[in-house]
Amino acid sequence: MASTTRGQRFAAAGAGVAAAVLGAGLGELTAAFIAPGASPFAVIGSALIDFAPPWAKEIAIQLFGTNDKIALLIGIGIVLVGIAALAGLAELKWPPLGLAIMIAFGGVGVLAAMTRANAGMLDWVPSVVAGVMGAVALGLLMARMPGRAPVSAAPAALVPVAVGAGQAADAEAAASDPPQVQVQSQAIQRRTFLVWTAGTAAVGLLAALGSTLARAGSQAVTVVRDALKLPTPAVAAAAVPATAELDIPGLATVITPNASFYRIDTALIVPQVTPADWSLRIHGMVANEVTITWDELLALPLEESVTTLTCVSNNVGGDLIGNALWLGYPIRELLARAAPTADADMVLSRSIDGFTASSPIEALTDDRNAILAVGMNGEPLPAEHGFPVRMVVPGLYGYVSATKWVTELEVTRFDKATAYWTTRGWSERGPIKLQSRIDVPRRQQGLKAGETVIAGVAWQQHVGVAGVEVQLDEGEWQQATLATSISDDTWVQWSLAWTATEGDHLIRCRATSRTGEVQTQEVSRTDPDGATGWHERFITVFA
Ligand SMILES: Nc1nc2c(c(=O)[nH]1)N[C@H]1C(S)=C(S)[C@@H](COP(=O)(O)O)O[C@H]1N2
Ligand SMILES: [Mo]
């Protein structure tokens, strides 16, 4: 192992990072043009999501909420920079180990890309480009590093080992090159190296920027979606009663606008599915396999329904819940065409990206509004909420029912098949638990003493909420006033007038369901099948 100076090590680490930025940028650019689903960043991120232990995913959601994906990408970026710096150092000390690390990183990307559920034929290309270009760039930069003998003959005399060396062997070189020229040459070498390194990184960043622009310009699905007009429903939902909306500032609106609807899924890159490419196949334990295309689906009598979706990862008091007006077709009718065998007890729905959910078959065949949804709040589904088609099933957490970009329903049995989250420590069944949440007053709003209102939402979809009680400072439970509920499949707003007095207060709420269940005080975590406990909030009231 050659001994190296601090400056050389620093330069090598910098060269590693610059080379990796170039490789990654060119990889992203390649992906944008030939394999949109196979961005090296996204495929490695997706693989991490799929292999991450359940607690890691929970921590990510608890820390970053619906920003968990951005956090993951930033994390990958930081790790990549670290590995790239190490690759540079390795190339300095043990060439060609650094190049090998770059190639290996590309190899990881290829593996991640090709093992995805919806891998395309060319999906290996972007990661190969990233790895190879990273290695080539590192090799070229290292060759320009001051202090490492360039191969060409002419600058050989300029390498610093010869500078000022007193040995006889170097005397000739020293004599033919006056010292100040050598010093200058060294400075020039250093500058050249810096310029090359910075230039390499800059080209990488430009390529990454280019890939973002290319993607934005070529979102065919966005264009198709925006031009789409959904048919008028054969069965329209009753208008939302005006009394369902209490209209209290800070209280969640009874219908959640699409733009603020929570988003949870394992897809780092939103799957791009055009209606023309979409079809749904119903197979497994059925008498007749059924396949339905987009045009066939839209020709069916579509029904509107209002259903509240909730994530099993929602903490007590959390906001991974939203309520929308959906347009879709009853899954029950399609299953009837397929004629499931009598011993089937589960439907494993599968998304184009490989995600799966296990729904009890009776939840899809009884009279509830379990639908294949195409519309959300009067628009086609937004891409990140499952365009063109997703499932919506009242009463079940999203992870066992609300499959987005759905392309397959496999009729099967719980003892024969397992869904995505079931293999990661979550329950195979996920009925929604009774919950209530305080929305106002908020902790930091600087509440003044006097007349105010405590308000929130409560839910247990497909069971319904009969009442909500509020407790102040550990006193008697008081009945809150419920707004009109849209249906038992939706959350309901509640409120209680309060004459706030100066000082610190503790507010709690608990709901009672239509079956008489009182929301339990017992605290349980989100995993394996949903959080329980009372939501409480400390409030300071000012004079
Ligand atoms: N394809 C796919 N569908 C999915 C998921 C997913 O990861 N992939 N996540 C599910 C989970 S856990 C929830 S809570 C809901 C969230 O739906 P939303 O993002 O439209 O709010 O989608 C469900 N459908
Ligand atoms: Mo979820």
Side-chain angles (χ1 to χ4, degrees):
M1 169 175 117
S3 73
T4 53
T5 66
R6 207 163 155 246
Q8 283 178 319
R9 291 195 292 274
F10 199 73
V17 173
V21 169
L22 181 79
L26 292 178
E28 292 300 318
L29 192 60
T30 310
F33 282 103
I34 68 160
S39 132
F41 257 87
V43 292
I44 290 179
S46 304
L48 286 177
I49 291 175
D50 287 351
F51 287 116
W55 55 262
K57 171 245 176 192
E58 260 327 85
I59 290 177
I61 289 189
Q62 303 312 340
L63 280 181
F64 306 112
T66 47
N67 290 326
D68 55 345
K69 294 188 180 67
I70 300 288
L72 177 69
L73 289 177
I74 292 173
I76 294 174
I78 292 171
V79 170
L80 178 68
V81 165
I83 292 178
L86 287 178
L89 284 172
E91 187 61 19
L92 177 69
K93 298 207 173 192
W94 304 287
L97 182 59
L99 307 192
I101 293 176
M102 291 283 175
I103 299 281
F105 219 75
V108 170
V110 170
L111 261 183
M114 297 317 284
T115 51
R116 291 177 328 129
N118 51 337
M121 291 246 296
L122 294 177
D123 282 8
W124 53 275
V125 179
S127 290
V128 167
V129 168
V132 169
M133 293 313 286
V136 167
L138 181 60
L140 290 178
L141 286 176
M142 293 304 283
R144 288 189 160 71
M145 199 172 132
R148 297 189 97 223
V151 195
S152 62
L158 301 180
V159 299
V161 279
V163 176
Q167 289 97 336
D170 295 318
E172 207 184 277
S176 64
D177 277 295
Q180 70 271 33
V181 172
Q182 290 182 14
V183 169
Q184 205 183 37
S185 306
Q186 242 193 313
I188 289 174
Q189 271 194 327
R190 227 179 258 137
R191 255 227 326 266
T192 312
F193 175 75
L194 263 178
V195 168
W196 274 92
T197 307
T200 302
V203 171
L205 290 177
L206 275 179
L209 182 72
S211 77
T212 324
L213 295 180
R215 270 178 201 283
S218 71
Q219 293 292 34
V221 168
T222 315
V223 177
V224 174
R225 180 192 174 275
D226 293 350
L228 202 70
K229 219 179 145 340
L230 292 176
T232 41
V235 180
V240 172
T243 46
E245 178 60 73
L246 295 177
D247 232 333
I248 295 171
L251 171 62
T253 54
V254 72
I255 296 285
T256 315
N258 290 355
S260 47
F261 207 97
Y262 82 99
R263 172 189 168 200
I264 290 287
D265 55 58
T266 59
L268 264 186
I269 288 198
V270 177
Q272 304 288 310
V273 188
T274 53
D277 294 336
W278 180 87
S279 68
L280 177 85
R281 191 165 74 95
I282 306 178
H283 63 107
M285 299 169 68
V286 294
N288 325 302
E289 249 194 57
V290 172
T291 299
I292 183 166
T293 65
W294 170 257
D295 288 339
E296 288 164 348
L297 178 63
L298 283 212
L300 294 169
L302 303 185
E303 302 181 4
E304 277 183 336
S305 49
V306 182
T307 296
T308 301
L309 283 190
T310 312
C311 183
V312 69
S313 294
N314 195 37
N315 279 316
V316 173
D319 57 6
L320 300 180
I321 177 167
N323 186 38
L325 169 70
W326 307 97
L327 175 67
Y329 187 69
I331 295 171
R332 158 183 6 101
E333 302 291 341
L334 293 175
L335 281 177
R337 288 194 202 177
T341 58
D343 51 341
D345 65 2
M346 188 253 269
V347 173
L348 190 73
S349 49
R350 182 172 279 114
S351 150
I352 190 139
D353 68 354
F355 169 87
T356 50
S358 53
S359 313
I361 199 164
E362 62 276 10
L364 306 183
T365 49
D366 65 16
D367 62 357
R368 80 183 76 190
N369 293 318
I371 57 168
L372 280 183
V374 296
M376 180 177 183
N377 289 330
E379 296 174 24
L381 293 177
E384 59 278 15
H385 293 290
F387 183 79
V389 184
R390 75 173 305 166
M391 285 172 55
V392 171
V393 183
L396 303 179
Y397 285 122
Y399 83 108
V400 287
S401 69
T403 305
K404 305 190 268 189
W405 316 288
V406 64
T407 56
E408 240 181 87
L409 302 183
E410 181 185 349
V411 179
T412 179
R413 296 180 48 85
F414 278 103
D415 60 13
K416 274 193 175 165
T418 41
Y420 185 92
W421 287 114
T422 311
T423 57
R424 291 164 173 83
W426 297 77
S427 300
E428 60 183 14
R429 290 166 197 261
I432 291 177
K433 295 179 179 177
L434 179 63
Q435 266 298 331
S436 55
R437 182 181 85 190
I438 304 162
D439 280 4
V440 288
R442 301 209 177 271
R443 262 171 81 65
Q444 307 298 350
Q445 78 181 46
L447 187 66
K448 291 261 188 346
E451 291 306 316
T452 184
V453 66
I454 301 170
V457 282
W459 63 89
Q460 187 175 26
Q461 290 90 305
H462 211 58
V463 175
V465 172
V468 171
E469 295 163 285
V470 174
Q471 186 196 48
L472 274 161
D473 303 323
E474 313 256 353
E476 290 290 302
W477 285 96
Q478 307 172 53
Q479 281 296 339
T481 306
L482 283 194
T484 308
S485 67
I486 297 174
S487 80
D488 288 345
D489 291 343
T490 67
W491 63 6
V492 58
Q493 298 181 341
W494 56 265
S495 74
L496 181 74
W498 179 36
T499 311
T501 54
E502 188 186 344
D504 292 339
H505 297 282
L506 172 62
I507 306 171
R508 285 200 179 111
C509 67
R510 70 176 186 200
T512 302
S513 78
R514 284 212 196 279
T515 55
E517 177 190 345
V518 179
Q519 183 183 334
T520 178
Q521 181 178 17
E522 195 181 316
V523 174
S524 54
R525 305 174 0 152
T526 53
D527 61 306
D529 61 1
T532 61
W534 291 338
H535 189 209
E536 57 182 37
R537 188 170 278 177
F538 289 93
I539 292 288
T540 303
V541 178
F542 299 92

